[in-house]
Coordinates of all heavy atoms in Angstrom, one line a residue:
S296 N -10.6 2.4 31.5 CA -10.1 2.6 30.1 C -8.7 2.2 30.0 O -7.9 2.1 30.9 CB -10.3 4.1 29.7 OG -9.5 4.9 30.5
Y297 N -8.4 2.0 28.7 CA -7.0 1.7 28.3 C -6.5 2.8 27.3 O -7.2 3.2 26.4 CB -7.0 0.4 27.5 CG -5.6 0.0 27.0 CD1 -4.7 -0.9 27.7 CD2 -5.1 0.5 25.8 CE1 -3.5 -1.2 27.2 CE2 -3.8 0.1 25.3 CZ -3.0 -0.7 26.0 OH -1.8 -1.0 25.6
D298 N -5.3 3.4 27.7 CA -4.8 4.4 26.9 C -3.5 3.9 26.1 O -2.7 3.2 26.7 CB -4.4 5.6 27.8 CG -5.6 6.3 28.3 OD1 -6.7 6.1 27.8 OD2 -5.4 7.1 29.2
R299 N -3.4 4.4 24.9 CA -2.2 4.1 24.1 C -1.6 5.4 23.5 O -2.2 6.0 22.7 CB -2.5 3.1 23.0 CG -1.3 2.7 22.1 CD -1.6 1.6 21.1 NE -2.5 2.0 20.1 CZ -3.3 1.2 19.4 NH1 -3.2 -0.1 19.6 NH2 -4.1 1.7 18.5
K300 N -0.4 5.8 24.0 CA 0.2 7.0 23.5 C 1.6 6.5 22.9 O 2.5 6.1 23.6 CB 0.5 8.0 24.6 CG -0.9 8.5 25.2 CD -0.7 9.4 26.4 CE -0.2 8.7 27.7 NZ -1.4 7.9 28.2
Q301 N 1.7 6.6 21.6 CA 2.9 6.1 20.9 C 3.5 7.1 20.0 O 2.8 7.8 19.3 CB 2.5 4.8 20.1 CG 3.7 4.1 19.6 CD 3.3 2.6 19.4 OE1 3.7 2.0 18.3 NE2 2.6 2.0 20.3
L302 N 4.8 7.1 20.0 CA 5.7 7.9 19.1 C 6.7 7.1 18.4 O 7.4 6.3 19.0 CB 6.4 9.0 19.9 CG 7.3 10.0 19.1 CD1 6.5 10.8 18.1 CD2 8.1 10.9 20.0
S303 N 6.8 7.2 17.1 CA 7.7 6.4 16.3 C 8.6 7.3 15.3 O 8.1 8.2 14.8 CB 7.0 5.4 15.4 OG 6.2 4.5 16.2
L304 N 9.8 7.0 15.3 CA 10.8 7.6 14.3 C 11.6 6.5 13.6 O 12.0 5.6 14.2 CB 11.8 8.5 15.1 CG 11.2 9.8 15.7 CD1 12.2 10.5 16.6 CD2 10.7 10.8 14.7
S305 N 11.8 6.7 12.3 CA 12.5 5.8 11.5 C 13.3 6.5 10.4 O 12.9 7.5 9.9 CB 11.6 4.7 10.8 OG 10.8 5.3 9.9
Y306 N 14.5 6.0 10.1 CA 15.4 6.6 9.1 C 15.7 5.5 8.1 O 16.0 4.4 8.4 CB 16.7 7.1 9.7 CG 17.7 7.5 8.7 CD1 17.6 8.8 8.1 CD2 18.8 6.7 8.5 CE1 18.6 9.2 7.1 CE2 19.8 7.1 7.6 CZ 19.6 8.3 6.9 OH 20.6 8.7 6.0
S307 N 15.7 5.9 6.8 CA 16.0 5.0 5.7 C 16.8 5.7 4.7 O 16.6 6.9 4.3 CB 14.7 4.4 5.1 OG 13.9 5.4 4.6
A308 N 17.8 5.0 4.2 CA 18.7 5.6 3.1 C 19.4 4.5 2.3 O 19.4 3.3 2.8 CB 19.7 6.6 3.8
Q309 N 20.0 4.9 1.2 CA 20.7 3.9 0.4 C 22.1 4.5 0.0 O 22.2 5.6 -0.4 CB 20.0 3.6 -0.9 CG 20.8 2.7 -1.8 CD 20.0 2.2 -3.0 OE1 19.2 1.2 -2.9 NE2 20.2 2.8 -4.1
L310 N 23.2 3.7 0.3 CA 24.5 4.1 -0.1 C 24.8 3.5 -1.5 O 24.8 2.2 -1.6 CB 25.5 3.7 0.9 CG 25.3 4.1 2.4 CD1 26.3 3.6 3.3 CD2 25.2 5.7 2.4
S311 N 25.0 4.3 -2.5 CA 25.2 3.8 -3.9 C 26.3 4.5 -4.6 O 26.2 4.7 -5.8 CB 23.9 3.9 -4.7 OG 23.4 5.2 -4.7
S312 N 27.3 5.1 -3.9 CA 28.4 5.8 -4.5 C 29.7 5.3 -3.9 O 29.7 4.7 -2.9 CB 28.2 7.3 -4.3 OG 28.2 7.6 -2.9

Side-chain angles (χ1 to χ4, degrees):
S296 63
Y297 178 96
D298 290 347
R299 181 173 67 200
K300 298 178 283 289
Q301 190 156 137
L302 178 65
S303 300
L304 290 173
S305 65
Y306 171 77
S307 55
Q309 176 175 278
L310 304 179
S311 57
S312 61

